[in-house]
Amino acid sequence: MNVFYLLVLSLAAPALASPFLHRRLKFAKISAILGVAIALALHAHAASFSFGELSLDTFSHLLLLVALIDAAVALVGFADPSSEYPQAASLYSVALMSVLGVVGLAYSGTLTMLLASWALFSVSSFALLALSKDKFSAAGAVKYGLMSIASSSFLLLALSATAVAVGGLQMREASVSGSLLLASLGLLLAAVGFKVGVFPFHAWLPDAYGVSDPLPVSLISALSKSAAVLALYKLSLVTANVLGESWLRLLGVAAVLTMTYGNITALLQKGFQSILAYSSIAHAGYILVGVAALSLSGRAKELALAGLLLQLLAYSFGKTGLFLAARLLRRSGAAPLKIEDLKGLGVKDPAVAAPALILVLSLMGMPPLAGFWGKLYLFLSVVESAPWLTALALLNTGIGAAYYARLVKSIYFEPGAPETLPYRSVRAALLACALATILAGLLLPFVLQTP
Amino acid sequence: MEELLLLSWLAPYIGAGLVLLLHRASWSAKSSAAILSILVSALASSAGAARVVSGHEVHVSITWIESLSARVGVLFDGLSSLMALVVSWLSLLIAVYSYEYMHGEGGETRYWFFFTFFVGSMMLLVLSDNLLTMLAGWEGTGLASYALIGHWFTDEEERWVGDPGRRALKIPMWSEPSHSGLRALVFTRVGDVGMIIGIATLHTILGTTLLENLADGVWASRLLSAGILPAFLWLLFLGAMAKSAQFPFHEWLVTAMTGPTSVSALIHAATMVKAGVYFLLRFAPFLVAAAGISQAASTVHGFLEALAVVGAFTAFMMATMALVSRELKLVLAFSTASQLGYMFLGVSAGALAAGAIGGLTAGFSHLMSHAVFKAALFLAAGAVIHAVHSRFIDDMGGLAGTMRLTAVAFLLAGLSLAGIPPFMGFWTKDEVIHYVSEAGLIIPTILAVVTAALTACYTARVFSRVFLGASRAHGHEPGPAMLAPYLSLGLASAALGVAWPLIAPRVEELLHHSLGVASSKEAHTSPALPGAVEAALVLALISFAATLYAYGWVKVTPYRWVSSSRFLSSLHAFLYDRWLLNGLYYRGIVGGFKAFSSSLYRYFDTGVVDRLYHAVIPRLFQGAASLASAVVEAGYDSLLHRHLVNGFTGLWRLFKSLQTGKAPHYIALMWIGASILLVLILLGWLW
């Protein structure tokens, strides 16, 4: 339990100190990376526990581990380009706050703790987006913020309905089922789902991810997914078993709608970032498949947990890396990239193109990369209880391959000479993402081998 | 330590590998590697034989494939150790001869590789304790034989066999090395197929290929109850007949003479062609044991009698061909096939007359004596042909003056071949004829006696034509590496002949220690046919002396009489053209298959198959395709290329229209979505 306080301290101290270090930006950078690194080290040794407001189990532990590693990589990537931002020190401060929000979600043991952490993460994430201070980011950040406020009412409603149903703020398993509990799940889906782009609460996401400065997006897109999965997972402990079939059906339908919407809309997009944005929506759909399977038991649930972890890992590194790659091609304040801007990257700058290719293939679900195993476990988890869901998810994966292939084609098979910016830290982070994707794909399936 | 005896067949194989590695090295290096490896083999087999003489049989065996009871190892018993001695020491002598004889002839690596490979395979065949590795060695010798017969594969005329331009039944009677190699392979392969079927049958029915499991004769009753014993026996021994050039497979051995003479001496006289006889010898005790089982007795006896007839007929037929041949090596080749016939006759008649040990002694003794004297004859012939630069005896004559030692060696070995006492060949042939007459086989006895006379005649003829009379060519003695092997072999054949009455009981005693001899029972005894042995001896002596006198002193030229008489000239042509069998084979079998194949091509392939593939099926598919495109394709096309695409773009437009870029719309959408969701939940539709 003391670990949690140390964890908060390691993240909050640099976050609070950073705004005063804007004249010594190097200290801000180093202290931010150091803070996340220390948090990572502390968290890695934390054991499962449950006490008071706090609770941590194995799944939350592993999920947070992935989120922290990804955040560390993203913050390393921030190092070079951040100097160009007017309030660079605040950038690190807000980024650390958002990480702290995710930490709080992972450790939350009561509904209030959950709500507070969620609010912290939400506010800091759209603040982070706004700090780029160009017109594209401003529009995205404003829409994100408005939606966030609107959705927070849903979250309050959902949590209070849950509290009523359970009879307290503790997150313990509900005993009676009822339409109130299901309504709370519906509201929760709207409130949490909007963050990752669950249809029809997604509308802000393409405008924010698709046009804003890609640097903050590289961190937010990954952390949002972890935050949403953590929140849904925590609440699944309360209601999933009671709701059973209803949980599976409601979330399954949402999953299909979301992935279909994301994939089909991505197909004909012209912008590189907007393809990534819609692919984020599609991935929210895949992840919802795993969340839907949390109401199952036995082997199916084990598969779902393993799948969620792997898919989150693949998605986090994939999106962090690819948005960073977008930042390498887009000057700050410039208009969003088009797919044509990627042409010839394979020849011009293979050190950027090769890791980007690996990440695109991982998102596509190519074996043996991490993305393949994630999808495999997720889709396998529901194959017995909801075969229709597996079938539709597979169909969607096929559609998705088309636009990922367009990216590969532009990068490697079309002539052109794109300019890349000389950010060494971004290149290093991109490479780290690709290596992590390969290693995880090769090693984790053996570690996670469920009996 | 006994494992070292594996070297008896392993060493030559290792030598073959070394020769390949040394392919860029000098002739001496390659030759020494090969000769040394064969020396190791000879020493190992001598060590093995010494143990058998001292009363231990040696059986080393390492399991290779359990289910096929295939074991790798060596089995030294009476028969195999004697055979291994003959093979390995003769191989060594002929390898030494090759060192001089093949020097500068080209294809050095190929020659030594296949030479050593042959020795290894032959020793494996001889020393195997199971039929499977025996078959492996058997096929190895066949491969080496093929390669060495065709050693001069560029087919220059001086390497041919037969008279260029001569035809019988419109079929060429000459043969090039490459063609001869192929012939040898095809002829022996026909027999091998039968042999493989036989071995497979044994394994299927008995579940074993181990020789020791066959010793008790139970196999015969199992096969008899399956109703396949007669067919099995003929199939199993078909390989032996083909390998040992028995009628009707004898043709390949004649044209095998296109190989280097050293090869002819080793493979096509002294060792490989004996493999068939050896196989028969190995089985002789098993056959005798099988004959002891009452139901199988008549089948086995009938089979042995038939083999005796085949052997006797081959001996006679080949001897008649040898009488008229004009080529030195061909005379010897005919004589080899003829003597192999004697061996077949000896094994089968001996087994019939005196049981297993009778067959073994009669067959093996003649095998051994023939190996010695025929190797000497071939090696000497090689020296003569080398000196004269011609293979025809018409170009030779009077060489005794210039090639004195060669003539002595040839004469000593030739007297043995002719069966003149006290040379070795006399004793062993005498024993064969003795057993045939004792077995009461009338026609084989008569053929054997007549053949003895013919053998003496052609031996005397070839000796006088080459070494006596007027000198037609200038000869010279070869170097010591060539001379020493055949001179020592010639002397050995004389010395062994003198000592034979002392050696024979020792050999017989050793053969008593062979696999299966103890368990086999005595065969039936038939009334003896008296006088055959004496008649053979008298006839041989008279015909040898008369021929020597006629050619050597009177200098008769029988060609004149032959060409003046119609009957004699057609008889001569019949014999000279090898009883027209070559022509019959080519016209009947080769031509028959050709005609069959071309009519198959004309009527079945073009008529049926081609039409099916190029007319019927294409038209069928064309029809189906046009039908499908008319009925299905159009609809499918528009589904795939219009409706599906339109559907996707429509959906895309719909989704895109949600993305107005205005925040109030987004919030409205969110509220509407959440409201619909809640309504659905409260109505219970998602319950």
Side-chain angles (χ1 to χ4, degrees), chain A residues 257-333:
Chain A
L257 286 176
T258 306
M259 65 177 88
T260 310
Y261 175 81
N263 279 325
I264 288 185
T265 319
L267 271 181
L268 296 177
Q269 292 299 325
K270 293 196 179 68
F272 175 45
Q273 269 180 249
S274 50
I275 283 188
L276 292 180
Y278 285 105
S279 115
S280 284
I281 296 176
H283 273 85
Y286 302 144
I287 282 172
L288 275 186
V289 173
V291 177
L294 289 178
S295 64
L296 302 172
S297 56
R299 181 161 165 71
K301 184 161 180 178
E302 283 169 12
L303 275 174
L305 291 175
L308 278 173
L309 193 65
L310 271 171
Q311 182 65 23
L312 262 177
L313 186 145
Y315 172 86
S316 300
F317 286 115
K319 282 294 145 79
T320 301
L322 286 172
F323 278 113
L324 284 174
R327 185 65 181 80
L328 268 179
L329 291 158
R330 180 180 173 188
R331 290 179 183 286
S332 70

Side-chain angles (χ1 to χ4, degrees), chain A residues 43-398:
Chain A
H43 175 66
H45 292 95
S48 298
F49 72 97
S50 181
F51 181 81
E53 297 274 335
L54 302 179
S55 168
L56 182 74
D57 60 12
T58 313
F59 181 69
S60 318
H61 183 269
L62 291 173
L63 211 64
L64 183 59
L65 208 59
V66 171
L68 285 175
I69 295 171
D70 182 72
V73 172
L75 283 178
V76 169
F78 275 28
D80 282 345
S82 64
S83 319
E84 296 170 12
Y85 294 86
Q87 278 148 342
S90 309
L91 195 72
Y92 286 102
S93 173
V94 177
L96 287 172
M97 292 289 189
S98 66
V99 175
L100 192 57
V102 178
V103 171
L105 282 169
Y107 279 80
S108 66
T110 61
L111 295 175
T112 38
M113 176 74 181
L114 189 77
L115 182 66
S117 307
W118 183 261
L120 177 61
F121 175 68
S122 287
V123 173
S124 48
S125 62
F126 58 74
L128 187 62
L129 210 56
L131 273 175
S132 297
K133 297 213 163 172
D134 58 57
K135 62 177 177 181
F136 303 107
S137 304
V142 166
K143 286 170 193 164
Y144 187 12
L146 283 172
M147 293 286 278
S148 198
I149 291 160
S151 75
S152 57
S153 57
F154 290 141
L155 187 61
L156 273 172
L157 270 173
L159 293 183
S160 41
T162 310
V164 170
V166 176
L169 294 173
Q170 285 294 325
M171 287 201 279
R172 56 171 183 268
E173 195 168 316
S175 48
V176 268
S177 171
S179 53
L180 181 63
L181 212 53
L182 191 59
S184 86
L185 177 61
L187 291 167
L188 189 73
L189 186 64
V192 174
F194 105 93
K195 181 82 78 192
V196 292
V198 172
F199 182 86
F201 318 111
H202 65 279
W204 66 275
L205 193 144
D207 290 4
Y209 289 9
V211 295
S212 302
D213 185 316
L215 192 69
V217 178
S218 68
L219 182 64
I220 292 169
S221 60
L223 288 186
S224 303
K225 247 355 165 252
S226 305
V229 171
L230 277 169
L232 287 170
Y233 171 73
K234 291 275 177 183
L235 283 158
S236 81
L237 301 175
V238 182
T239 58
N241 277 345
V242 183
L243 288 172
E245 183 71 5
S246 306
W247 171 286
L248 177 66
R249 211 177 309 147
L250 178 60
L251 292 178
V253 171
V256 170
L257 286 176
T258 306
M259 65 177 88
T260 310
Y261 175 81
N263 279 325
I264 288 185
T265 319
L267 271 181
L268 296 177
Q269 292 299 325
K270 293 196 179 68
F272 175 45
Q273 269 180 249
S274 50
I275 283 188
L276 292 180
Y278 285 105
S279 115
S280 284
I281 296 176
H283 273 85
Y286 302 144
I287 282 172
L288 275 186
V289 173
V291 177
L294 289 178
S295 64
L296 302 172
S297 56
R299 181 161 165 71
K301 184 161 180 178
E302 283 169 12
L303 275 174
L305 291 175
L308 278 173
L309 193 65
L310 271 171
Q311 182 65 23
L312 262 177
L313 186 145
Y315 172 86
S316 300
F317 286 115
K319 282 294 145 79
T320 301
L322 286 172
F323 278 113
L324 284 174
R327 185 65 181 80
L328 268 179
L329 291 158
R330 180 180 173 188
R331 290 179 183 286
S332 70
L337 290 173
K338 299 228 178 306
I339 289 193
E340 290 93 77
D341 300 331
L342 297 174
K343 285 182 182 173
L345 186 64
V347 180
K348 184 77 190 299
D349 201 340
V352 174
L357 172 74
I358 288 163
L359 297 174
V360 166
L361 291 179
S362 169
L363 289 176
M364 191 194 276
M366 188 71 73
L369 301 168
F372 165 74
W373 298 106
K375 282 203 180 78
L376 181 72
Y377 285 4
L378 285 180
F379 298 170
L380 273 181
S381 68
V382 291
V383 75
E384 273 175 27
S385 45
W388 54 273
L389 190 49
T390 306
L392 290 170
L394 284 175
L395 204 65
N396 261 287
T397 309

Side-chain angles (χ1 to χ4, degrees), chain A residues 143 146-147 151 154 177-178 182-183 186-187 190 199-204 206-207 246 249-250 261 264-265 268 278, chain B residues 648-649 651-652 655-656 658-664 666-667 669-674 677-678 681-682 685-687:
Chain A
K143 286 170 193 164
L146 283 172
M147 293 286 278
S151 75
F154 290 141
S177 171
L182 191 59
L187 291 167
F199 182 86
F201 318 111
H202 65 279
W204 66 275
D207 290 4
S246 306
R249 211 177 309 147
L250 178 60
Y261 175 81
I264 288 185
T265 319
L268 296 177
Y278 285 105
Chain B
F648 267 97
T649 39
L651 209 55
W652 183 76
F655 287 160
K656 201 159 182 291
L658 295 175
Q659 212 67 35
T660 55
K662 293 192 169 65
Y666 293 177
I667 294 173
L669 183 64
M670 184 175 181
W671 278 103
I672 293 166
L677 193 61
L678 279 179
I681 288 169
L682 295 175
W685 287 12
L686 285 171
W687 195 229

Side-chain angles (χ1 to χ4, degrees), chain A residues 430-450:
Chain A
L430 176 60
L431 198 63
C433 287
L435 287 178
T437 304
I438 295 173
L439 281 179
L442 292 177
L443 301 179
L444 283 187
F446 299 102
V447 179
L448 290 175
Q449 198 115 61
T450 42

